[in-house]
Amino acid sequence: MKVKFFERFDYFIIVCIVVLSAMGVAFIYSSAIDSSGILQNSDYKKQAVWCAVGLVFMIATAIFDYRFFKRYAIAIGITLVVALIATRLFGKTVNNAKSWLGFYGLGIQPSEPGKIMFIIFLAWFLERSDKDNPLKRFFMALCFTLVPIGLILLQPDLGTALVYFPIFFVMCYIANIPLRYLLPVLCTGILTIVFIMIPLWQQFILQKPIYLVTILSDKTNMIAISLTLLSIMILSLLGYRYTKKKYFYWIVYVCSILLIAYTLAFCGLKILTKESHKYQRNRIIAFLNPAYDPQGAGYNVSSAKIAIGSGGMFGQGFKMGNQSHLKFVPEQSTDFIFSILSEEIGFIGGLIVFICFLVIMLRIIIAARSTSNVFGSYICAGILGMLFFHFLVNIGMDIGLMPVMGIPLPFVSYGGSAYITNCIAMGLVMSVASRKLDFGIMNSLQ
């Protein structure tokens, strides 16, 4: 089936991206103006250039047959790992993370395009292993996911590393990997976060010891609890083998989650106590109680919430936001751009952003469901997980429902690597959608 040139594009997606991009450039410009009305930088010009380049990449990717990438999926995965290792060894540090590589005066953040590379590789693997044992398939996919996550955490860039998890979960769910394998990973992650936050809450907010909380961070208790859980698991495995009673299986299931989460949390707390990771610890404490350090870690979130609240229904007017132009909101062109947008064009402006993202995500779902190509469906699923996580966390940061993790708002926040990556992702979605029944030129790859 031949597809006409103009039918290769999803104009709903394109219109929404153009609207979000225009808002991004406008409010990056607005955020650069100080209280005297003087423009402090030309970041909005750079963003406009990146928007133009990104849209070209998006159109080119939409025209290009996405199935071509399947042939080189292994090479793409290896390239991702090599790029992340090179970043760790030779990268330059920006905002406390060695996450940038520089080439002839230009900089790129490999972990950003790395998301697309990871999606392509994982989509190839999940399609190729469709007939394999589900447990083996899940375990291999998890190992492939932990490699880039581990390398990104070494930078350290927690926010970007976390994006790979929703990509993994959504793609594995669409690939029919049983929930009994996926849920333990999700529960382990949630419990690890809880086990990290509770001792920090006790030490820095409550500021008095609670025995049940203290055992989470004491080395002797940690060893004793871990050995106890391990012993229960071994005895339950023996009980299940000889009696086949189902409750032994569930005891092992629960204890393994608790053991892994507790161990990870203990290691995480030890890392967060180091002076080099103080800023990450302070972000978590600020999330638990922004009033704890209102001039320090809690300042960003408090200022962003004030900006959003002061916008009201229609906002204070373009270039008229007090919080932004008096520089009360830090990182206002990147992490907290939604707060500046909401302050100046109010609830209506925020609603436009929500509607645009809703339309984009619905179009991704339609593309994933309508294609007859499994590889393409998995790619759409990974992009959906990536986009939804970025949207959820960035907006959540601005309104105080998520800890600050340095996650940009797609197509709106300042940044070239992230913008171009998101445009390529949307191009892939349109490439999948326009070839949903096209088995012609790349049939040999199926």
Side-chain angles (χ1 to χ4, degrees):
M1 183 186 77
K2 297 230 177 185
V3 181
K4 294 180 180 179
F5 179 80
F6 291 105
E7 292 178 356
R8 295 192 182 276
F9 308 114
D10 188 323
Y11 293 99
F12 288 100
I13 289 179
I14 292 174
V15 169
C16 289
I17 290 175
V18 169
V19 170
L20 291 171
S21 301
M23 294 175 77
V25 172
F27 288 100
I28 290 170
Y29 169 77
S30 178
S31 67
I33 298 175
D34 64 15
S35 58
S36 303
I38 300 173
L39 187 66
Q40 296 296 309
N41 59 61
S42 59
D43 286 347
Y44 74 98
K45 293 182 180 179
K46 297 178 184 178
Q47 186 70 11
V49 172
W50 287 329
C51 288
V53 173
L55 291 173
V56 170
F57 270 97
M58 181 176 68
I59 293 171
T61 307
I63 296 171
F64 192 78
D65 195 326
Y66 71 95
R67 292 170 293 184
F68 177 83
F69 294 114
K70 188 192 299 187
R71 180 181 293 174
Y72 301 100
I74 295 177
I76 289 171
I78 293 172
T79 302
L80 168 60
V81 174
V82 171
L84 292 177
I85 292 174
T87 304
R88 174 59 183 165
L89 296 176
F90 311 111
K92 60 180 181 179
T93 302
V94 178
N95 292 331
N96 299 310
K98 188 186 281 190
S99 55
W100 288 81
L101 282 178
F103 301 97
Y104 303 105
L106 299 175
I108 184 173
Q109 193 174 1
S111 56
E112 286 294 337
K115 299 169 191 173
I116 303 300
M117 299 166 75
F118 172 70
I119 288 170
I120 291 172
F121 176 80
L122 189 58
W124 166 81
F125 169 76
L126 290 173
E127 184 195 34
R128 184 174 178 272
S129 63
D130 185 57
K131 304 299 181 184
D132 291 353
N133 178 277
L135 180 58
K136 176 186 175 183
R137 195 173 176 224
F138 161 76
F139 182 74
M140 292 295 291
L142 180 61
C143 290
F144 290 143
T145 306
L146 292 176
V147 171
I149 287 176
L151 291 172
I152 294 170
L153 285 175
L154 289 175
Q155 294 178 1
D157 188 351
L158 176 62
T160 303
L162 289 177
V163 178
Y164 285 73
F165 272 118
I167 293 172
F168 162 78
F169 280 112
V170 177
M171 292 181 72
C172 286
Y173 178 77
I174 297 298
N176 293 318
I177 289 181
L179 281 176
R180 67 178 180 273
Y181 301 141
L182 294 174
L183 285 178
V185 179
L186 181 62
C187 292
T188 300
I190 293 173
L191 282 175
T192 300
I193 294 171
V194 171
F195 289 161
I196 288 175
M197 286 186 171
I198 290 177
L200 293 177
W201 169 79
Q202 174 199 253
Q203 181 179 355
F204 293 98
I205 298 175
L206 187 64
Q207 297 184 345
K208 63 180 181 180
I210 300 177
Y211 178 72
L212 291 176
V213 175
T214 304
I215 62 174
L216 292 174
S217 53
D218 182 79
K219 184 176 180 180
T220 303
N221 289 332
M222 185 268 181
I223 295 173
I225 292 173
S226 298
L227 289 175
T228 300
L229 289 170
L230 188 60
S231 300
I232 294 173
M233 288 173 60
I234 294 172
L235 293 173
S236 298
L237 283 171
L238 292 172
Y240 182 73
R241 178 179 179 183
Y242 291 109
T243 67
K244 302 300 180 184
K245 299 291 186 181
K246 199 69 175 178
Y247 58 80
F248 284 117
Y249 169 84
W250 288 109
I251 291 174
V252 174
Y253 193 90
V254 173
C255 286
S256 61
I257 292 174
L258 290 172
L259 178 61
I260 296 172
Y262 183 43
T263 304
L264 290 174
F266 184 83
C267 296
L269 283 169
K270 291 302 179 184
I271 293 173
L272 289 173
T273 56
K274 296 180 180 179
E275 189 65 25
S276 59
H277 292 269
K278 181 179 178 180
Y279 75 97
Q280 292 177 323
R281 180 178 71 242
N282 289 344
R283 284 179 170 184
I284 296 174
I285 298 169
F287 166 68
L288 295 172
N289 182 15
Y292 167 75
D293 187 11
Q295 299 302 316
Y299 179 77
N300 294 13
V301 176
S302 298
S303 299
K305 289 165 70 175
I306 291 171
I308 293 173
S310 64
M313 179 62 70
F314 300 103
Q316 298 182 13
F318 183 59
K319 300 191 296 181
M320 300 296 292
N322 292 325
Q323 295 294 311
S324 60
H325 300 304
L326 292 174
K327 305 304 176 186
F328 289 137
V329 179
E331 305 295 339
Q332 50 189 303
S333 65
T334 52
D335 297 352
F336 293 97
I337 193 159
F338 182 77
S339 65
I340 305 306
L341 182 152
S342 297
E343 181 184 30
E344 297 192 1
I345 56 176
F347 174 79
I348 298 300
L351 184 61
I352 292 172
V353 172
F354 272 71
I355 291 173
C356 286
F357 277 105
L358 176 62
V359 171
I360 292 173
M361 285 187 273
L362 287 176
R363 298 303 295 179
I364 296 173
I365 293 171
I366 291 171
R369 290 175 61 88
S370 62
T371 183
S372 55
N373 188 292
V374 175
F375 178 67
S377 180
Y378 293 161
I379 286 177
C380 290
I383 292 170
L384 178 65
M386 177 186 75
L387 188 69
F388 179 75
F389 184 80
H390 269 269
F391 172 76
L392 181 69
V393 173
N394 182 272
I395 301 298
M397 289 191 314
D398 284 22
I399 61 178
L401 294 180
M402 292 279 185
V404 177
M405 291 188 286
I407 299 287
L409 185 61
F411 307 112
V412 183
S413 292
Y414 174 77
S417 297
Y419 187 90
I420 293 173
T421 296
N422 291 322
C423 284
I424 293 173
M426 293 302 102
L428 282 172
V429 171
M430 287 188 276
S431 181
V432 172
S434 66
R435 292 171 176 85
K436 57 186 175 183
L437 297 175
D438 184 5
F439 300 104
I441 60 173
M442 299 297 289
N443 191 53
S444 60
L445 295 179
Q446 307 309 305

